[in-house]
Every structure is written in structure tokens, then in C-alpha cells.
Amino acid sequence: MNEMESYKSFWHGRCVLVTGASGFIGSWLVKKLVELETLVIALVREINPFSLFKRWRLDERTMLVIGDVRDGDLLERIITSYDVSICFHLAAQSLVGAAKTTPLVAFDVNVRGTWTLLEACRKARCVDGIVVASSDKAYGEQETLPYTEDMPLRPTFPYETSKACADLISQCFAMTYEMPISIIRCSNVYGGGDLNFSRIIPGTVKAALHGQRPVIRSDGTPVRDYIYIEDVVSAYISLAQTTCTERLCGEAFNIGLGNPISVLELTKLILELCGVSELEPIIEGVGKPIKEIRCQYVSVEKAKRILGWCPKHDLRNGLLKTIDWYRSFFGIQRGTETWV
């Protein structure tokens, strides 16, 4: 039995709720779940007409619910009415910059949204597994790297603090009420379909494909770990399945490549892969204080050991697939910067 057949034997016919279903990660995850023949209830606040969710017609292939993850009555009705078996909680304010600008929105959505969903699941008593999206940012500054799951969460800035709170609340519900909840802490996720061009990878790819110099807002020295979207989706699926079958309770798992790279090095690699290595990045943050974590990357040994998960894309291959997606999206011919 191959991997897809193994997955289908578990997922076929299950009713699955995905919050934040129309987001970047949510869209890729829902697409995979539909392929696995699950009944997906997609909770979304709104649908961007340019999003993958719309491009892949996932609004027609799922049971679409327009609503807010902070609406407890709505969540309880969905879960109990459709006997939801598994929940993926991805709904969040996911942009670091936006969270810094409007912290109360980030705290309200990311924290209240999490406890509202978990309370609805607790009351329903029909859910076999819950996966909550946290982040490697929740670890904050640590003296030792890579991050491992047994490290205390030490956030500082609004986004990472909101994710750490959601993470701890999930652990609380799991341990207090013996609920099958697992937490996924991904490093920086990238891939085709991310339309938030303020992020380093889509922003740099967009600039490079149009023959423009990319902008680095920091001084280029911060170090991060990047993980391709298809590997992330595989991790979500594996974690949910293991959470149900092994009855995991409050376990957290790091998901990343384990291959840290500086922002400047990453930018130059993207320019090279786009065939415009002669373009020089504009580095805006030189000489300015860095108001972010200097270095972040994770150990994925626990995920490999317990989930049997391993990334299939190295950074170069993942970036090549990503660049090809944006070439198609912008209608740009391979090897040129001219519009088709």
C-alpha cells in the first residue's frame, strides 16, 4: 500500500473541519483533504477571488461556511450537526507586521479564536483529533538552537505572543480535559499561491520576475528556516492521523527543513534561480536596530521519530517549484521578464 492509499484508508468519508480554510496553508491542506475523499467543512471569513481556494474551486468542492472562528455558537452547530471527526485550526492573523500594527486584533483572533474552537470541541465530544497551528515564533529568543519541543515558550512581540498563548491554551485543554489535541510549530512556510507579497519569498520572487531589485527590510542578517508547502501539508495530515490513532494529548511538533539561511543569502538564491543574479537587493535596515528575533530554526527529530514525517523538498527544489508557480500566475515566460 503506497502513501496515498494508506492515507485514503484512514481519511475516506471522514468529516473534517478546517478553520482558516481559504488562507495560503489552508487552501493547500483542503485541496489534499478533498483528494483523500473527505467531507471538508471549510470555515472562512471571506474569499479572495485571486486565492488558491478560489482558483482551485474549493468553494465548490467543500461545504463552505462563511463565519468567524470567534463565534462559539456557530462552531458548536457545525461540529455537532455534522459529527465532525477531525479539526484543523488554522484561522489566525498570520502576518507578523500586521500583528505589530494592530496587536489587539491579533490577540483577539489568535487567542480567543483558539479557546472558542477548543471549547466547542470539548462540548461536542465527537471529535477524534484536533491539530492547532502554532509557530516556531512562539519560542522567542533562545540561548540554544535549534528549537526543540521541550523548550519553554519565550515570546516578546505581538504575533509570537499571540501564537504562544494559543499554543499554551491548546496544551491546557488537552491535559485538563484529556482531549486529543496536537500542536504544530512550523518554520517559515513558502510555496505557490502565497499572495502576501510583504513576505520575503513571494516578494522577492515577484520583484525578480519583473526585473526589479528586491527590498530587504532588515539588514539581511536574520537567520530563518524555510519549509515548502507540500511538506507542511504532509505534516498536518500525518499529525492528525497519528493524533487520532495514538490518542496524542497536548504534544507539540516542530516542522521545518532544519537548514537555516540568512535573509540576504535567501534573496540572492532566489535571484539566481530566477536568472537575474545581477540585480542587487535594496537593504533598508542597515544600521538600524533589529526589532525581531535574530536567529530561528527548528529540530524536526521528534516529527521524524513519532510521525514518520520527513521533508521531501530541499530549499532549492522548493524554490524552483515556487518560482514556476509565480511565473504562471504573472504570465511571464521562463527566462524573460516580459509579459506574455
Side-chain angles (χ1 to χ4, degrees):
M1 182 182 293
N2 61 32
E3 184 181 71
M4 178 62 83
E5 291 173 341
S6 174
Y7 282 155
K8 275 192 175 181
S9 67
F10 174 86
W11 290 94
H12 176 77
R14 285 183 181 266
C15 186
V16 177
L17 170 64
V18 181
T19 73
S22 62
F24 168 50
I25 299 176
S27 295
W28 279 90
L29 176 60
V30 169
K31 178 176 179 287
K32 182 68 173 181
L33 290 170
V34 169
E35 291 170 354
L36 293 173
E37 301 175 353
T38 65
L39 170 61
V40 179
I41 302 174
L43 178 66
V44 305
R45 189 179 63 180
E46 58 190 12
I47 301 176
N48 182 338
F50 299 103
S51 68
L52 288 176
F53 193 84
K54 192 67 176 178
R55 289 167 67 90
W56 287 336
R57 299 173 62 186
L58 296 174
D59 53 331
E60 302 173 18
R61 302 165 68 189
T62 62
M63 185 174 297
L64 181 67
V65 178
I66 306 294
D68 196 306
V69 73
R70 294 165 291 186
D71 186 341
D73 291 338
L74 173 64
L75 292 174
E76 286 183 43
R77 286 199 303 274
I78 292 171
I79 294 168
T80 55
S81 296
Y82 296 100
D83 198 26
V84 169
S85 173
I86 296 173
C87 290
F88 292 96
H89 176 45
L90 283 76
Q93 162 52 268
S94 60
L95 295 176
V96 175
K100 189 173 182 180
T101 302
T102 56
L104 297 188
V105 173
F107 292 141
D108 195 41
V109 174
N110 296 359
V111 182
R112 181 155 67 103
T114 299
W115 82 54
T116 302
L117 173 70
L118 296 180
E119 177 65 359
C121 291
R122 184 183 73 86
K123 289 180 178 179
R125 297 179 180 275
C126 61
V127 180
D128 298 319
I130 305 164
V131 174
V132 176
S134 181
S135 169
D136 67 338
K137 310 296 181 292
Y139 289 109
E141 291 278 5
Q142 299 283 345
E143 295 180 1
T144 303
L145 290 171
Y147 295 142
T148 56
E149 290 85 352
D150 57 354
M151 287 180 171
L153 304 183
R154 300 175 56 189
T156 300
F157 301 107
Y159 173 76
E160 60 198 54
T161 299
S162 71
K163 298 304 285 186
C165 288
D167 196 311
L168 291 170
I169 287 168
S170 301
Q171 295 178 52
C172 168
F173 269 79
M175 302 307 293
T176 303
Y177 304 109
E178 299 183 350
M179 294 172 63
I181 302 170
S182 293
I183 300 114
I184 189 166
R185 298 171 182 164
C186 289
S187 57
N188 294 39
V189 183
Y190 72 94
D194 184 356
L195 301 182
N196 286 311
F197 293 104
S198 62
R199 292 189 176 123
I200 183 66
I201 290 180
T204 301
V205 172
K206 179 183 179 181
L209 291 178
H210 290 86
Q212 300 168 353
R213 297 172 64 191
V215 176
I216 297 175
R217 294 190 301 274
S218 69
D219 65 359
T221 61
V223 171
R224 298 289 184 267
D225 188 20
Y226 299 87
I227 180 74
Y228 183 61
I229 182 63
E230 292 184 58
D231 291 324
V232 171
V233 169
S234 174
Y236 269 96
I237 296 293
S238 296
L239 179 54
Q241 190 165 327
T242 304
T243 300
C244 292
T245 56
E246 302 297 327
R247 199 70 184 175
L248 299 182
C249 185
E251 293 283 346
F253 292 84
N254 293 334
I255 299 299
L257 192 59
N259 183 26
I261 184 173
S262 75
V263 169
L264 181 57
E265 290 172 324
L266 174 68
T267 301
K268 289 184 175 181
L269 176 59
I270 293 172
L271 293 173
E272 173 198 329
L273 296 176
C274 288
V276 288
S277 56
E278 70 278 5
L279 291 177
E280 284 294 326
I282 299 170
I283 305 176
E284 292 186 335
V286 174
K288 298 179 182 179
I290 296 179
K291 297 182 179 180
E292 59 180 301
I293 299 169
R294 172 71 71 173
C295 186
Q296 294 179 305
Y297 60 99
V298 300
S299 166
V300 295
E301 292 307 311
K302 182 178 179 180
K304 290 179 178 179
R305 184 179 72 254
I306 296 178
L307 306 181
W309 173 87
C310 190
K312 295 181 179 178
H313 300 80
D314 62 20
L315 182 59
R316 193 177 189 91
N317 289 332
L319 286 174
L320 285 170
K321 293 178 76 169
T322 301
I323 292 165
D324 280 346
W325 189 93
Y326 286 106
R327 275 201 182 99
S328 176
F329 178 75
F330 290 120
I332 297 176
Q333 293 178 335
R334 180 181 295 274
T336 74
E337 290 79 46
T338 57
W339 292 86
V340 176

